[in-house]
């Protein structure tokens, strides 16, 4: 039962420039967790821009009533592909990418537990994504013209059955998403095995960085939540290809069963998506407040609690299907209970900042944006969880606003914070602070301008997933403002892209530890060598670098 | 700012010997966890749709209990354990014997399933598209059978390399993982059997 | 033509009922919406307080503890690791709030779902189709489409009891001022009752994505003042008017394949795939709300429904101008 069964590799010295094909080969054939992590993140960002452009087209269409910018089928494909891409090809690879890159570095390991499985996971994920997009060329949509899925990101049966979705579009949806899901499962098993087995000496569970804890619970959620989706997709594919009857209501099949299976996956999925942001905040806020995270055990406990409670709330997406009042109340109650551990996290982050010396570098700005926006998002979540209120809000733009607040105001802000924070580690160069501030403010203003008004449109009765609407129903101005906001968001993202391109070449040299941080990844060079650490580190507290920098006042004396 | 690429080793001795669980063990356990999640959805679907078919043939008319096949599969769990045990104590011949018996038992199970399906489809006209019972039956039993196939493939692989003279003792850890997987497939059968042939009929 | 248009225009004015175009959930006008409104206000109040307190705390922290230029950068602030009392406090207080919310939710949920409607009820079965609504009054043997006529209930003593079904995929019934959503699900019956407090026209939408034209599956509930509903019903129960001047146009209509999909009561047209047309002209809209029911719109619709509602399941019948004219004039006689 030895823990470290790697032979000690010697530093490889690269004396010459590599040719393009050599570099390409090195990346394609790599099993290095850092390269795979970066490839995950880069593909996620590319998909973010693609799906963001789709969203922009939707916002153009919805800016004014009775618009004919795109036709109905195109619009339906846009929101389906936008949602599916954002969830499965942006959110999921962000999870895998951040945990791949950071977990081994943070726990003082030389690689993931199963490097080849890791590479397999990435490529199968990418294959699934490309398969999904291939549908734009090779599929055949609801109305017969070769095109992408148009059944919404949760693809409710029986709309996806052969009778209502002819052609192959729904097959592409099910196959593409299922295949990329296998990649996520592979990477989740890997993260679990890595954190459990490859921790460096002294890195007990109680000393593990909160980020690693969060990703561990995240991997657990992936393992139990993704298979239900795969199972339902297998059933759907059997229905569509072999004439099985799982969701065939003509043969007595149930239309509600799909919804149960989908949301048994779907609800945990939204926490799977938000966890990386929880993780990055838990690392960044302490560093920029110059204080240890407040209430470490409570923070970890809250994440574990969310990891379990969130498995039992799925039917809050189904309050309108006509469940008994008992079931409705049960799911309302469990949903609201998730607010308690989530609240604990928000309070502890704030308490970490309280009494500190806050430095508002770009990563910290994004964290502050997160705190306020996620607070709003969570509270609108509570409103949705109140079943009778949800009968009004369900499937309206209020829901759209709620989940963009969680996903952009939460996830995307948290991820940007992380990217600004760890970019120096991964590339050896700082991102420009000036461009970073532009990015933050434009994106923050644009985001709020887009999604605050949509709450009101929803409360005025605007349903989601409509390609157009009539004038005079009170929705025009809200939609107009929302659409204008996208311009600012896009500008913000452009600043980010520019910042990355610019800084990769001309950015200020970062050094090993530009933020004066406390976790192990900052103890190695930037970028880290292939084997991460020359000698495996040994730790005695949850802030090993703090101990090193403050020998007279180390953490381990108090733990 | 501190420009350290030094490895932080705090002063003082380590409190205790540092060991962590074996990564393969962790990997296989969580593989089984996620497989369980997959199966449970199919099992739930089966249970939900019991008695909901609108037309026949119904399970109680066409399904007969596969007693021999089930016994074979359950026995194979024991034989694979014997094989693993033998390998652990370096009794290579005994290992091969038990391993071959395991494969035969697993093979018999698969063949029995094949025969059952052939009979159902050609004689009883009970197919995956017949009714809800058909859909749930073939998907659940089929999912299990596909796992038997995967297990058998790996069992065969081990057998082939062993017969070819590969020192399989060196791979004891992996053989053990395979046997765990096989136990899991067996355990699932107990559930599938109960649901399909006892509750479902 | 002009006369027709005028007549049609007048027709849409006939009910003379106020139209509630802005379907604000905070202006409820029926029992379920009223209960939902009350709990909504309650929950919004609580969450607003939480937002102000917690948000205020966050902003205060950000402002108060920002690093000032005068600060010594090498001096770290006091290292505080946590506090169990505080931890307990901010676990217990939210739990208490959540319990209050759960209690209220339980009560209102049961109240809305299990309340029995007033004794005097009209029964209506609403059947969702891709992308229109079939409306059946089983007690009156009447089938119409898209516009749901119900009695208003100023005194709260008459209600309309809806049975919701679907022919194809899942739809959802949502008229915000009357009630929240209830899905129409194939192979399953859902129920809902409404008692509009004021006479008027209430707008709503299908609120579950149901395919290409989900956006144009609009709902209209027309609540008649006391007494008027019965009059409307009596009109509707009559078979289609037999206008002797229309025999030629009628024959034309009946020779076309329209009758495979549409019903005109008392004629050979008995199709079930599309909306019942028996009293088409008593409707204010066509195509589940995409167009107002004017002569011109009707003509354009029949000429090619795919223009106003691309993707809908009524094909363009490719009628000649003459056929088109006759069919339209026949339809216009279906008062
Ligand atoms: C990152 C993703 C994310 C996160 C974190 C959340 C978090 C929450 N969500 Fe959200 N949700 C989505 C993503 C997310 N959601 C998505 C994508 C959908 C739509 C899917 C679709 O239909 O397409 C959705 C839809 C959705 C619905 C269904 C709406 C409908 O379709 O009718 C509901 C209903 O209950 C809901 C509730 C909640 C709740 C209660 C939380 C809670 O976890 C929030 C908890 C947080 C707080 C409460 C704030 C902080 C706490 C405090 C300050 C403590 C004090 C608070 C109290 C005492 C209450 N969400
Ligand atoms: C992580 C998740 C995520 C993210 C980040 C977003 C981001 C955005 N979303 Fe999305 N959204 C979803 C997840 C997400 N969404 C989901 C799950 C659905 C439900 C789908 C369904 O109903 O099935 C949905 C649905 C949805 C709708 C509802 C559609 C409908 O119901 O009809 C709308 C409408 O406004 C919308 C808008 C936007 C906008 C404006 C953004 C913006 O924030 C986007 C900002 C980004 C850009 C604008 C790209 C900018 C980049 C450039 C322009 C750079 C130029 C290029 C180069 C230089 C290379 N989204
Ligand atoms: Cu019917 Cu949407
Ligand atoms: Cu949810």
């Amino acid at each position: 039962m030895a823990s470290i069964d790697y032979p000690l590799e010697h530093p490889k010295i690269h004396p010459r420039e590599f040719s393009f094909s050599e570099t390409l080969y090195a990346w394609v054939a790599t099993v290095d967790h850092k390269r795979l992590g970066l490839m995950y993140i880069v593909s996620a960002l590319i998909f973010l821009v693609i799906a963001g452009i789709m969203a922009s087209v939707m916002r153009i269409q919805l800016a004014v009533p009775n618009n004919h910018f795109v036709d109905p089928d195109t619009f339906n494909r846009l929101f389906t592909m936008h949602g599916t891409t954002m969830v499965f090809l942006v959110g999921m690879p962000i999870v895998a990418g951040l945990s791949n890159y950071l977990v081994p570095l943070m726990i003082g390991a030389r690689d993931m537990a199963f490097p080849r499985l890791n590479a397999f996971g990435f490529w199968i994920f990418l294959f699934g994504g490309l398969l999904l997009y291939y549908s734009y060329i090779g599929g055949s949509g609801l109305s017969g013209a070769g095109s992408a899925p148009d059944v919404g990101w949760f693809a409710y049966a029986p709309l996806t059955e052969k009778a209502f979705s002819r052609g192959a579009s729904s097959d592409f949806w099910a196959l593409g998403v299922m295949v990329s899901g296998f990649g996520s499962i592979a990477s989740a098993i890997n993260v679990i095995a890595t954190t459990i087995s490859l921790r460096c000496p002294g890195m007990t569970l109680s000393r593990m960085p909160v980020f690693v804890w969060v990703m561990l619970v995240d991997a657990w959620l992936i393992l139990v939540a993704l298979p239900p989706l795969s199972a339902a997709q297998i059933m759907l594919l059997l229905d569509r290809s072999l004439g099985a009857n799982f969701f065939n209501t003509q043969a007595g099949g149930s239309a509600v069963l799909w919804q149960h299976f989908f949301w048994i996956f779907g609800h945990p999925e939204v926490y799977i998506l938000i966890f990386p942001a929880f993780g990055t905040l838990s690392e960044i806020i302490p560093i920029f407040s110059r204080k240890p995270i407040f209430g470490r055990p409570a923070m970890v406990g809250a994440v574990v609690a969310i990891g379990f409670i969130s498995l039992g709330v799925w039917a809050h997406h189904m309050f309108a299907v006509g469940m008994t009042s008992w079931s409705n109340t049960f799911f309302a109650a469990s949903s609201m209970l998730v607010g308690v551990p989530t609240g604990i996290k928000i309070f502890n982050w704030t308490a970490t900042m309280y009494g500190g010396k806050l430095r508002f570098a770009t990563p910290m700005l994004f964290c502050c944006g997160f705190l306020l926006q996620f607070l709003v998002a969570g509270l609108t979540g509570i409103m949705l969880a109140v079943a009778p209120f949800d009968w009004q809000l369900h499937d309206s733009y209020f829901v759209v606003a709620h989940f963009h607040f969680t996903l952009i105001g939460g996830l995307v802000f948290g991820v940007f914070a992380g990217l600004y924070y760890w970019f120096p580690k991964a590339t050896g160069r700082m991102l420009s602070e000036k461009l970073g501030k532009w990015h933050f403010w434009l994106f923050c203003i644009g985001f709020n301008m887009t999604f605050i008004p949509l709450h009101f449109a929803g409360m005025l009765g605007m349903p989601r997933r409509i390609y157009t609407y009539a004038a005079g129903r009170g929705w025009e101005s809200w939609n107009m403002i929302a659409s204008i906001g996208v311009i600012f968001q896009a500008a913000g993202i452009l600043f980010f892209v520019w910042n990355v391109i610019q800084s990769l070449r001309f950015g200020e040299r970062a050094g090993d530890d530009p933020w004066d941080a406390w976790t192990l990844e900052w103890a190695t060079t930037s970028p880290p060598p292939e084997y991460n650490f020359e000698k495996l580190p040994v730790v005695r507290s949850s802030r090993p670098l703090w101990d090193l920098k403050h020998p007279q006042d180390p953490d381990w004396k108090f733990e | 700012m501190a420009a350290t690429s030094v490895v932080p080793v705090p002063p003082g001795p380590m409190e205790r010997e540092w060991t962590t669980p074996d990564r393969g063990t962790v990997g296989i356990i969580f593989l089984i966890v996620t497989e369980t999640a997959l199966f449970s959805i199919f099992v739930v679907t089966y249970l939900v749709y019991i008695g909901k078919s609108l037309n026949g043939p119904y399970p109680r008319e066409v399904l007969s209990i596969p007693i021999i096949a089930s016994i074979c599969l359950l026995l194979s769990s024991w034989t694979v354990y014997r094989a693993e045990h033998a390998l652990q104590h370096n009794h290579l011949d005994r290992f091969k014997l038990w391993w071959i018996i395991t494969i035969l038992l697993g093979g018999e199970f698969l063949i029995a399933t094949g025969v059952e399906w052939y009979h159902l489809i050609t004689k009883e006209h009970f197919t995956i598209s017949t009714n809800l019972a058909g859909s749930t039956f073939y998907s659940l039993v089929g999912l299990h059978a596909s796992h038997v196939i995967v297990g058998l493939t790996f069992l065969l692989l081990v057998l082939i390399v062993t017969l070819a003279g590969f020192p399989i003792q060196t791979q004891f850890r992996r053989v053990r993982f395979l046997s765990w997987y096989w136990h899991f497939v067996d355990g699932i059968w107990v559930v599938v059997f109960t649901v399909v042939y006892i509750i479902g009929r | 033509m002009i006369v027709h248009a005028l007549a049609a225009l007048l027709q849409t004015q006939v009910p003379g009922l106020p139209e509630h175009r802005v379907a604000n959930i905070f202006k409820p006008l029926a029992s379920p919406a009223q209960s939902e409104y009350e709990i909504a206000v309650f929950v919004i109040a609580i969450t607003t307080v939480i937002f102000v307190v917690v948000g205020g705390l966050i902003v205060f922290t950000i402002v108060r503890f920002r690093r000032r230029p005068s600060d010594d950068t090498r001096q770290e602030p006091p290292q505080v690791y946590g506090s169990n009392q505080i931890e307990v406090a901010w676990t217990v207080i939210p739990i208490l709030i959540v319990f209050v919310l759960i209690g209220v939710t339980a009560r209102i949920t049961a109240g809305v779902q299990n309340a029995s409607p007033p004794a005097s009820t009209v029964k209506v079965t609403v059947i969702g189709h891709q992308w229109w609504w079939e409306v059946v009054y089983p007690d009156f043997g009447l089938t119409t489409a898209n516009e749901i006529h119900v009695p208003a209930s100023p005194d709260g003593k008459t209600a309309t009891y809806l049975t919701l079904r679907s022919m194809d995929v899942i739809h959802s019934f949502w008229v915000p001022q009357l009630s929240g959503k209830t899905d129409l699900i194939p192979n399953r019956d859902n129920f809902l009752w409404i008692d509009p407090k004021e006479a008027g026209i209430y707008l709503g939408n299908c609120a579950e994505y149901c395919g290409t034209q989900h956006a144009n599956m609009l709902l209209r509930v027309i609540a008649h003042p006391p007494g008027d509903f019965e009059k409307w019903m009596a009109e509707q129960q009559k078979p289609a008017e037999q206008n002797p001047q229309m025999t030629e146009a009628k024959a034309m209509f009946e020779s076309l394949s329209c009758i495979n999909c549409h019903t005109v009561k008392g004629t050979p047209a008995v199709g079930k795939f599309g909306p019942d047309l028996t009293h088409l002209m008593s409707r204010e809209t066509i195509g589940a709300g995409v167009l107002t029911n004017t002569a011109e719109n009707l003509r354009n619709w029949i000429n090619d429904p795919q223009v106003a509602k691309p993707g809908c399941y009524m094909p363009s019948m490719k009628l000649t101008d003459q056929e088109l004219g006759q069919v339209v004039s026949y339809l216009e006689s279906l008062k």
Side-chain angles (χ1 to χ4, degrees):
Chain A
M1 288 285 193
S3 61
I4 310 134
D5 39 10
Y6 291 113
L8 230 164
E9 272 175 67
H10 286 287
K12 293 196 190 76
I13 294 154
H14 307 307
R16 64 187 176 89
E17 287 278 303
F18 287 104
S19 73
F20 175 73
S21 60
E22 275 170 324
T23 320
L24 186 70
Y25 178 80
W27 280 88
V28 171
T30 189
V31 294
D32 175 27
H33 73 96
K34 294 181 292 300
R35 289 195 165 180
L36 287 167
L38 290 179
M39 293 198 310
Y40 267 121
I41 292 173
V42 169
S43 22
L45 291 176
I46 293 174
F47 278 122
L48 174 73
V49 169
I50 295 177
I53 291 172
M54 291 178 165
S56 314
V57 177
M58 289 195 291
R59 284 309 333 159
I60 296 176
Q61 165 72 10
L62 293 174
V64 290
N66 293 318
N67 200 354
H68 291 290
F69 186 68
V70 292
D71 59 36
D73 280 320
T74 311
F75 185 89
N76 296 341
R77 291 188 182 115
L78 281 174
F79 72 69
T80 304
M81 291 296 274
H82 165 77
T84 310
T85 307
M86 286 294 191
V87 171
F88 296 102
L89 307 180
V90 178
M92 295 306 269
I94 287 280
V95 173
L98 285 180
S99 45
N100 261 308
Y101 195 92
L102 293 170
V103 165
L105 285 171
M106 284 186 160
I107 61 173
R110 290 222 162 85
D111 204 333
M112 298 287 277
F114 312 111
R116 269 167 306 174
L117 181 68
N118 208 8
F120 166 80
F122 171 76
W123 291 107
I124 191 109
F125 144 76
L126 194 66
F127 175 71
L130 295 179
L131 188 63
L132 186 65
Y133 270 83
Y134 175 72
S135 64
Y136 264 113
I137 318 167
S140 163
L142 281 188
S143 51
S147 212
D150 50 3
V151 286
W153 86 277
F154 40 71
Y156 275 180
L159 186 62
T160 44
E161 290 280 285
K162 256 288 179 297
F164 307 108
S165 168
R166 278 165 244 125
S169 65
S170 296
D171 302 295
F172 276 111
W173 180 85
L175 268 178
V177 169
M178 188 165 79
V179 165
S180 78
F182 294 152
S184 305
I185 290 179
S187 119
I189 292 184
N190 220 332
V191 170
I192 294 188
T194 308
T195 31
I196 295 187
S197 303
L198 299 189
R199 278 166 292 131
C200 70
M203 178 68 75
T204 57
L205 288 180
S206 61
R207 290 173 189 162
M208 219 158 65
V210 178
F211 178 88
V212 180
W213 260 108
V214 173
M215 296 326 273
L216 180 65
V217 179
D218 208 13
W220 147 260
L221 274 180
I222 291 178
L223 287 191
V224 292
L226 268 185
L229 177 66
S230 307
Q233 284 167 330
I234 292 172
M235 293 176 199
L236 178 63
L237 287 169
L238 288 176
D239 274 11
R240 292 180 58 87
S241 56
L242 296 182
N245 300 310
F246 292 101
F247 308 114
N248 176 1
T249 49
Q250 299 290 309
S254 160
V256 180
L257 196 66
W258 170 273
Q259 300 193 13
H260 278 294
F261 290 164
F262 187 89
W263 292 117
I264 286 174
F265 149 78
H267 186 82
E269 170 72 8
V270 306
Y271 290 97
I272 293 171
L273 294 178
I274 197 68
F275 271 17
F278 285 2
T280 57
L281 256 78
S282 303
E283 296 305 318
I284 295 170
I285 290 186
I287 302 298
F288 289 89
S289 312
R290 310 308 305 161
K291 278 178 65 209
I293 189 134
F294 193 88
R296 240 181 88 83
M299 279 304 240
V300 171
V303 164
V304 176
I306 294 174
F308 284 93
I309 304 177
S310 69
L311 294 173
V313 310
W314 74 87
H316 68 205
H317 296 270
M318 301 166 58
F319 285 142
V321 303
M323 295 184 293
T324 61
S325 58
W326 279 111
S327 318
N328 282 336
T329 306
F330 172 84
F331 285 106
S334 59
S335 308
M336 289 186 247
L337 275 177
V338 188
V340 176
T342 316
I344 294 179
K345 299 202 72 72
I346 295 204
F347 297 136
N348 278 302
W349 285 320
T350 314
T352 306
M353 288 159 56
Y354 195 94
K357 286 187 180 173
L358 309 184
R359 206 187 121 203
F360 293 104
T362 315
M364 187 62 171
L365 282 180
F366 276 103
C367 291
C368 294
F370 176 103
L371 284 180
L372 287 167
Q373 285 159 182
F374 192 72
L375 178 65
V376 175
L379 294 174
T380 55
I382 297 296
M383 299 183 201
L384 291 168
V386 174
F389 198 3
D390 183 70
W391 291 328
Q392 286 289 13
L393 299 176
H394 173 68
D395 259 332
S396 75
Y397 259 83
F398 189 90
V399 175
V400 173
H402 157 71
F403 69 72
H404 283 90
F405 256 78
T406 60
L407 286 168
I408 305 177
L411 167 71
V412 174
F413 271 67
V415 168
F416 277 136
L419 292 182
Y420 276 88
Y421 181 66
W422 280 295
F423 187 88
K425 179 48 57 186
T427 64
R429 292 185 188 266
M430 306 294 286
L431 281 168
S432 150
E433 272 295 305
K434 197 166 134 228
L435 294 176
K437 299 237 153 83
W438 273 99
H439 170 197
F440 170 75
W441 286 110
L442 281 170
F443 195 65
C444 186
I445 291 170
F447 159 70
N448 284 290
M449 189 167 164
T450 302
F451 291 104
I452 290 175
L454 293 182
H455 289 102
F456 301 110
M459 294 197 274
L460 293 177
M462 180 168 175
R464 61 195 280 205
R465 297 172 163 181
I466 53 174
Y467 73 92
T468 191
Y469 52 93
R473 299 200 57 187
W475 306 337
E476 294 94 329
S477 35
W478 301 122
N479 275 289
M480 189 44 135
I481 303 172
S483 296
I484 295 173
V486 178
I487 300 171
F488 292 86
Q489 292 190 59
I493 304 243
L494 281 178
F495 269 99
F496 173 68
V497 173
W498 180 239
N499 199 350
V500 169
I501 296 173
Q502 191 71 7
S503 303
L504 270 179
R505 282 191 292 159
F506 310 115
E508 188 193 325
R509 294 258 171 214
D512 295 349
D513 183 17
W515 309 114
D516 195 5
W518 301 318
T519 38
L520 281 180
E521 76 272 27
W522 304 103
T524 181
T525 54
S526 310
E530 212 169 315
Y531 43 86
N532 292 353
F533 300 99
E534 248 168 81
K535 260 169 65 191
L536 279 186
V538 179
V539 301
R540 298 189 62 194
S541 81
S542 56
R543 292 196 297 169
L545 267 62
W546 169 275
D547 296 353
L548 223 63
K549 294 170 186 170
H550 301 265
Q552 72 292 0
D553 179 28
D555 262 6
W556 54 265
K557 283 207 178 140
F558 305 101
E559 280 185 6
Chain B
M1 311 241 154
T4 48
S5 77
V6 292
V7 180
V9 182
M14 279 298 296
E15 308 93 295
R16 58 185 171 87
E17 173 98 42
W18 184 250
T19 54
T20 50
D22 171 57
R23 62 192 155 123
T25 313
V26 176
I28 197 83
I29 289 176
F30 281 92
L31 179 71
I32 289 178
V33 166
T34 148
E35 292 267 38
T36 310
L38 183 69
F39 270 101
S40 54
I41 293 294
F42 280 92
V43 168
V44 167
T45 313
Y46 199 97
L47 291 171
V48 167
Y49 279 151
I50 286 176
K52 297 275 166 61
S53 296
L54 298 184
N55 57 291
Y58 300 100
R60 92 187 93 75
E61 298 161 5
V62 291
L63 294 188
S64 50
I65 300 182
I67 296 182
I68 298 182
S70 303
I71 292 177
C72 283
L73 196 63
L74 292 187
L75 261 183
S76 76
S77 225
W78 181 69
T79 58
V80 85
Y81 167 74
R82 296 301 313 167
E84 181 199 323
H85 195 73
L87 190 63
Q88 191 171 17
H89 295 90
N90 250 326
H91 302 307
L92 209 54
D93 284 337
R94 241 187 277 164
F95 164 74
K96 283 182 202 158
L97 180 68
W98 286 118
W99 201 255
I100 292 174
I101 298 181
T102 309
I103 293 177
L104 290 178
L105 289 171
E108 148 61 23
F109 175 84
L110 262 192
I111 292 170
T113 306
V115 170
E116 181 194 25
W117 283 26
Y118 180 79
H119 173 80
L120 287 174
I121 294 173
T122 56
K123 301 278 161 32
E124 308 280 3
H125 302 293
F126 181 73
T127 69
I128 192 165
S129 59
T130 306
N131 52 18
L132 286 170
S135 302
T136 49
F137 171 80
Y138 286 102
S139 60
L140 180 56
V141 175
L143 185 70
H144 177 261
S146 68
H147 281 71
V148 177
I149 292 174
V150 171
L152 270 183
T153 313
F154 281 101
L155 287 170
L156 272 172
L157 209 71
V158 170
L159 182 68
I160 290 168
V161 297
T162 313
L163 292 183
F166 179 82
I168 194 73
Q169 312 85 295
T170 56
Q171 298 297 319
F172 175 68
R173 249 172 89 243
R174 296 204 162 117
V175 171
R176 167 173 274 175
F177 296 152
L178 183 53
S179 91
W180 287 357
Y181 182 79
W182 192 251
H183 292 317
F184 163 71
V185 172
D186 256 19
I188 289 288
W189 179 249
V190 176
V191 177
V192 172
F193 183 86
T194 317
V195 167
V196 173
Y197 296 98
I198 299 179
I199 305 176
R201 256 165 32 114
Chain C
M1 211 46 224
I2 296 167
V3 182
H4 277 311
L6 266 180
L9 207 73
L10 278 177
Q11 191 123 54
T12 62
Q13 301 293 313
V14 165
L17 293 170
E19 201 181 48
H20 300 275
R21 284 184 74 77
V22 179
N24 188 343
I25 63 172
F26 295 107
K27 295 214 171 74
L29 282 168
S31 299
Q34 179 66 30
S35 315
E36 287 152 9
Y37 162 77
E38 280 158 16
I39 193 169
V41 171
F42 178 73
V43 175
I44 290 176
I46 291 195
T47 47
T48 308
V49 172
I50 298 178
F51 175 72
V52 169
V53 172
V54 181
L57 205 75
I58 295 173
V59 172
F60 171 78
T61 310
I62 290 175
V63 175
R64 168 71 183 75
F65 295 104
R66 71 187 187 280
R67 182 189 293 181
R68 329 253 157 140
S70 59
D71 283 356
D72 176 2
T73 43
R74 276 158 309 167
Q75 182 67 41
E76 304 278 19
Q79 302 292 300
V80 180
Y81 296 88
S83 146
N84 285 341
Q85 288 92 319
I86 298 182
E87 229 46 84
V88 169
W90 64 43
T91 310
V92 170
I93 295 173
I95 288 182
L96 295 180
I97 300 176
V98 164
F99 271 110
V100 172
L101 285 171
I102 293 176
V104 179
T105 305
R107 220 193 60 216
I108 305 269
T109 305
V112 174
Q113 282 193 273
N114 306 341
S116 38
S120 153
T121 41
V122 175
K123 288 201 180 65
V124 182
T125 306
V126 179
I127 303 166
H129 293 255
Q130 277 179 318
W131 301 289
W132 59 281
W133 310 87
E134 181 181 347
V135 186
V136 180
Y137 295 81
D139 295 344
F140 299 92
L142 174 70
T143 302
T144 86
N146 291 335
E147 295 172 3
I148 304 175
H149 291 255
V150 303
S153 172
D155 53 0
K157 294 223 176 83
T158 33
T160 307
Y161 191 80
L162 302 170
T163 305
L164 305 173
R165 299 202 177 119
S166 169
M167 282 300 285
D168 34 51
V169 302
I170 303 175
H171 306 270
S172 193
F173 182 96
W174 187 28
V175 183
Q177 289 187 289
L178 300 181
S179 100
K181 291 161 204 78
T182 308
D183 290 351
L184 294 84
I185 299 174
N187 227 351
R188 175 190 177 111
D189 285 0
N190 273 338
F191 307 100
L192 175 70
W193 64 267
I194 49 175
D195 52 348
K197 299 265 185 307
E198 286 174 15
I201 301 170
Y202 297 87
L203 295 198
N205 295 65
C206 172
E208 183 64 77
Y209 177 64
C210 51
T212 312
Q213 277 295 345
H214 161 67
N216 283 321
M217 190 164 164
L218 307 171
L219 259 171
R220 245 160 209 273
V221 171
I222 295 154
H224 293 275
D228 276 16
F229 175 74
E230 287 71 21
K231 269 186 243 157
W232 174 83
M233 182 53 79
E235 281 294 314
Q236 294 287 311
Q237 280 176 304
K238 292 187 199 144
E241 216 167 289
Q242 296 297 327
N243 187 335
Q245 285 160 354
M246 281 295 156
T247 39
E248 201 182 326
K250 180 166 183 280
M252 168 65 76
F253 175 79
E254 282 162 10
S255 71
L256 293 168
S257 62
C258 314
I259 59 171
N260 294 334
C261 297
H262 292 286
T263 297
V264 179
K265 228 196 253 165
T267 76
V270 291
K272 288 274 174 214
F273 185 74
D276 185 301
L277 300 179
T278 311
H279 295 282
L280 179 66
M281 292 331 271
S282 71
R283 298 210 269 272
E284 293 165 20
T285 59
I286 40 183
V290 266
L291 297 172
T292 47
N293 192 356
T294 62
E296 199 191 344
N297 283 340
L298 186 58
R299 190 186 168 88
N300 290 341
W301 171 268
I302 290 163
N303 187 33
D304 188 358
Q306 301 298 324
V307 174
K309 205 167 174 178
C312 82
Y313 285 140
M314 169 158 161
S316 158
M317 303 299 296
K318 310 237 157 49
L319 304 183
T320 62
D321 266 2
Q322 190 226 349
E323 287 170 330
L324 188 59
Q326 289 202 323
V327 167
V328 172
S329 57
Y330 171 66
L331 290 180
E332 281 175 349
S333 75
L334 298 174
K335 298 249 158 48

